[in-house]
Amino acid sequence: MTEPLASSPMVIADRVVKSFGSHTVLKDISLTVNRGEVVCVIGPSGSGKSTFLRCINHLEKLDGGRLTVDGELIGYRQRGDKIYELKPKEAAAQRKDIGMVFQRFNLFPHLTVLENIMEAPLQVKRQSRASASARALELLARVGLAEKAKAYPASLSGGQQQRVAIARALAMDPKLMLFDEPTSALDPELVGEVLDVMKQLAKDGMTMIVVTHEMGFAREVADSLVFMDGGVVVERGDPREVLTNPQQDRTKSFLSKVL
Amino acid sequence: METTGPSGQPERIVAIPLRHPVRNVVAVVIILIVVLFVVDAAFFRPAYDWPAVGKYIFDVRVSQAALVTIELTVLAMVGAIVLGTLLAVMRLSPNPVLKSVAWAYLWIFRGTPVYVQLVFWGLLATIYKTISVGVPFSSDVLFSWTTQDAISVFWLAVIGLALNEAAYMAEIVRAGMLSVDPGQSEASTALGMSWSQTMRRIIIPQSMRVIIPPTGNEVISMLKTTSLVTAVPLSTDLYTRTRDISAETFNPIPLLIVASIWYLFFTSLLMIGQYFLERRFARGSRFVDVGPGVENPAVLVGATPTAPVAAQPDTSTEGRSS
């Protein structure tokens, strides 16, 4: 395998198909995300946005097409024209470079904030406690929660929990961050603090795919906006362009309901 | 009605508490019945033979037997918890072979009475006369023991109790693991943690909260099930020993009381232990049962300045070095 070029795309989805039983959620998704690019994905619920995101780090197995991250085929290995399933260990190794933030935060409630962030670096990357802890504190400061290191997640607000979840994902030094409706479970007044952290992350050059309903964030931060519906990419373009002047009827009708 | 107090603050409600007259009457009646029963038992029922109870309660033979019962309980439960956790993990694993093996184990060991199993273990030496280690597919034997010499009756009892209990523990542990939000294993998988790391570090610690209360039940139940080891036959445990003594004295009732007092004493100790164990594994969760009769059981455990009760933020993190 050749070393991927610095200018090569981070994510290439090529005709991705995913079904649950007889229900095909992703019909035919092709999408390229370049390094440092922030892509926001919008669409009605059930359109396959979250499933697509979960396919990128192989939380869901693809049924068709190819998906590569940083030039590496996700979940499978190709030799000649044969495709082999990866061993669980190899799939785990691919995931450690892809950070993910969930709608429901999914912090580990039995661990403190600091321990939450240190867990994967200690267990997966076998870092020393000292360096994992130093890095965790640095990340906590970055998301503005340095004083909460010893708190348990249950004592934090939703917005604080989501910022910790972002720090936890960043602790693995991912090359790509996936956000699955990161602000949808938050009280309206807490949305801003999470979006601010994400904006800063985008400014620092992180490649991000964000499934969101925050059109303001998409307009301001995204390099590219994708509208998905019925398991296909209906429209993609510059966010201001798509939001103000959608080309497709389905995009128009969706935006007229949410804007 | 005036709702502003003298200082301009909203006036405090000073209400007459709700009375519970029936509650008090019932309590008095119950106390009277209990007192009458105790007085009657103490002075008018010679069959209880209280002097004999006093004589045998600290008899060396009895306290030694009590120790054997505790040993049986602890060893069998440790074995059962280890094996039960393994079986639960096997049942939840994606591997169909492991799943089927665990299922078959549960089918057999839960489906037959523990008494029958103990009799079987007692007959092990009859079924398998020797235990040999040899080279497969050859007649070379490296080591060989007669089963009777290799495993004592005590260990047969431990094995019998542990293997039976493991089947029940497996279901308790499995229920505990299923109670953990699926988002937890998703999050740890997304972080690149393996299935076994996810189990060990994320799922099992969180399932402890659900596992401990029924496990406490099982320990107490095991303490009493040890009285069946006479089936193996092991005769040094508490119940069998007190029965053997009463067979000599022709006076069974006081010795039954002696055995009951010892069982009750151990059960009480176990309940205290369970209370502290539950507190420990409630770290990071909102609700902790802080014991009977406490008015406000909702205590946030963990480090937070707004916790209503000082939950000592630092003691909750100590002892976690791994």
Side-chain angles (χ1 to χ4, degrees):
Chain A
M1 204 177 271
T2 53
E3 194 62 26
L5 296 168
S7 60
S8 68
M10 179 60 85
V11 179
I12 303 172
D14 182 17
R15 313 212 61 180
V16 165
V17 178
K18 172 69 196 174
S19 320
F20 293 104
S22 59
H23 177 53
T24 305
V25 181
L26 302 180
K27 293 200 177 112
D28 182 353
I29 303 273
S30 294
L31 190 72
T32 302
V33 178
N34 290 315
R35 266 157 226 282
E37 194 178 16
V38 177
V39 175
C40 280
V41 183
I42 59 170
S45 60
S47 59
K49 312 170 300 245
S50 290
T51 304
F52 176 60
L53 213 59
R54 294 161 59 84
C55 284
I56 298 175
N57 69 354
H58 203 51
L59 281 181
E60 305 290 354
K61 243 184 219 177
L62 297 194
D63 295 316
R66 297 280 188 279
L67 211 158
T68 62
V69 172
D70 204 9
E72 210 178 325
L73 195 60
I74 290 294
Y76 300 93
R77 183 189 301 108
Q78 186 160 16
R79 281 226 196 93
D81 53 358
K82 282 212 177 80
I83 297 262
Y84 299 87
E85 267 184 38
L86 286 187
K87 289 180 195 158
K89 211 185 236 177
E90 296 166 317
Q94 289 183 335
R95 288 191 193 103
K96 74 178 171 33
D97 295 328
I98 303 170
M100 185 153 189
V101 174
F102 299 87
Q103 182 178 354
R104 304 277 339 163
F105 330 133
N106 296 352
L107 291 179
F108 305 133
H110 62 303
L111 303 178
T112 64
V113 163
L114 193 70
E115 289 167 335
N116 260 278
I117 302 174
M118 289 164 64
E119 184 67 14
L122 288 178
Q123 298 296 320
V124 180
K125 288 198 161 175
R126 301 272 164 214
Q127 286 180 5
S128 72
R129 281 197 86 76
S131 71
S133 153
R135 173 89 173 114
L137 285 169
E138 180 193 319
L139 286 165
L140 267 182
R142 193 160 148 197
V143 299
L145 290 170
E147 79 286 359
K148 294 288 186 190
K150 283 196 169 167
Y152 281 93
S155 69
L156 303 183
S157 74
Q160 291 171 330
Q161 289 193 48
Q162 194 60 298
R163 281 144 70 196
V164 172
I166 294 173
R168 179 176 69 174
L170 290 176
M172 292 298 283
D173 296 312
K175 49 194 176 191
L176 168 69
M177 284 284 284
L178 309 173
F179 294 84
D180 190 3
E181 303 196 22
T183 58
S184 297
L186 296 177
D187 289 340
E189 82 266 28
L190 302 176
V191 168
E193 59 187 75
V194 173
L195 293 182
D196 285 343
V197 168
M198 291 166 63
K199 271 178 212 165
Q200 191 54 48
L201 204 54
K203 217 176 274 175
D204 295 345
M206 177 62 76
T207 311
M208 294 161 60
I209 303 179
V210 186
V211 170
T212 187
H213 296 296
E214 295 293 329
M215 301 303 165
F217 176 81
R219 188 194 306 264
E220 192 184 337
V221 181
D223 299 303
S224 170
L225 185 66
V226 172
F227 173 67
M228 269 177 76
D229 190 17
V232 296
V233 173
V234 175
E235 187 164 353
R236 176 181 187 174
D238 178 84
R240 278 153 295 254
E241 200 58 26
V242 174
L243 287 173
T244 51
N245 184 23
Q247 300 302 305
Q248 302 291 326
D249 288 342
R250 272 150 88 193
T251 320
K252 275 179 204 159
S253 83
F254 174 76
L255 289 175
S256 71
K257 282 177 206 141
V258 299
L259 284 181
Chain B
M1 210 172 153
E2 191 58 61
T3 54
T4 306
S7 62
Q9 295 286 319
E11 197 202 2
R12 292 251 159 229
I13 294 176
V14 185
I16 293 144
L18 190 59
R19 307 281 179 212
H20 299 283
V22 177
R23 205 191 268 182
N24 297 340
V25 171
V26 170
V28 168
V29 169
I30 291 174
I31 290 169
L32 274 178
I33 292 173
V34 170
V35 167
L36 281 176
F37 178 80
V38 168
V39 170
D40 175 67
F43 300 108
F44 302 105
R45 304 287 164 177
Y48 281 125
D49 199 352
W50 295 107
V53 172
K55 181 179 160 201
Y56 286 109
I57 187 89
F58 294 119
D59 188 296
V60 178
R61 287 172 295 171
V62 173
S63 47
Q64 273 174 349
L67 187 66
V68 170
T69 284
I70 277 290
E71 285 171 355
L72 280 171
T73 307
V74 170
L75 291 170
M77 276 318 290
V78 168
I81 289 169
V82 171
L83 184 58
T85 307
L86 188 70
L87 287 165
V89 171
M90 283 166 71
R91 273 200 85 180
L92 292 177
S93 89
N95 181 332
V97 178
L98 295 180
K99 252 186 211 173
S100 317
V101 169
W103 184 89
Y105 183 97
L106 257 67
W107 180 61
I108 292 169
F109 281 88
R110 248 183 356 162
T112 55
V114 63
Y115 193 87
V116 173
Q117 288 174 28
L118 286 170
V119 175
F120 252 113
W121 284 104
L123 295 171
L124 187 73
T126 312
I127 308 168
Y128 305 99
K129 289 193 168 50
T130 56
I131 299 170
S132 305
V133 179
V135 182
F137 310 113
S138 77
S139 56
D140 300 346
V141 176
L142 302 175
F143 305 101
S144 184
W145 301 273
T146 55
T147 306
Q148 223 149 17
D149 298 337
I151 311 173
S152 69
V153 183
F154 176 81
W155 283 102
L156 283 176
V158 169
I159 292 169
L161 291 170
L163 294 196
N164 177 260
E165 181 57 31
Y168 293 92
M169 281 308 303
E171 287 299 272
I172 290 173
V173 174
R174 187 170 72 103
M177 299 204 290
L178 290 177
S179 75
V180 178
D181 174 17
Q184 292 291 308
S185 62
E186 231 162 53
S188 77
T189 304
L191 284 165
M193 289 168 74
S194 69
W195 183 79
S196 68
Q197 282 171 334
T198 301
M199 281 290 160
R200 220 176 54 239
R201 303 282 311 171
I202 307 300
I203 307 299
I204 290 177
Q206 288 184 58
S207 62
M208 290 307 264
R209 263 168 62 71
V210 176
I211 291 172
I212 288 171
T215 302
N217 250 351
E218 292 299 307
V219 178
I220 288 168
S221 162
M222 174 62 80
L223 183 76
K224 295 173 295 178
T225 308
T226 56
S227 62
L228 297 182
V229 293
T230 179
V232 175
L234 178 68
S235 59
T236 52
D237 76 293
L238 184 55
Y239 174 67
T240 316
R241 177 62 59 80
T242 52
R243 222 186 35 182
D244 286 351
I245 295 172
S246 65
E248 288 168 18
T249 61
F250 301 109
N251 193 8
I253 295 168
L255 281 146
L256 282 177
I257 296 172
V258 165
S260 301
I261 291 171
W262 275 100
Y263 282 119
L264 211 49
F265 169 67
F266 288 138
T267 309
S268 313
L269 285 186
L270 291 171
M271 286 169 74
I272 295 169
Q274 181 178 348
Y275 166 77
F276 283 104
L277 216 57
E278 278 183 29
R279 272 188 73 98
R280 157 120 178 88
F281 281 101
R283 274 171 306 138
S285 78
R286 245 166 227 288
F287 295 99
V288 184
D289 181 3
V290 291
V294 177
E295 282 297 314
N296 177 13
V299 178
L300 185 61
V301 174
T304 162
T306 54
V309 171
Q312 291 125 339
D314 288 326
T315 57
S316 55
T317 50
E318 76 182 6
R320 320 196 63 266
S321 52
S322 65

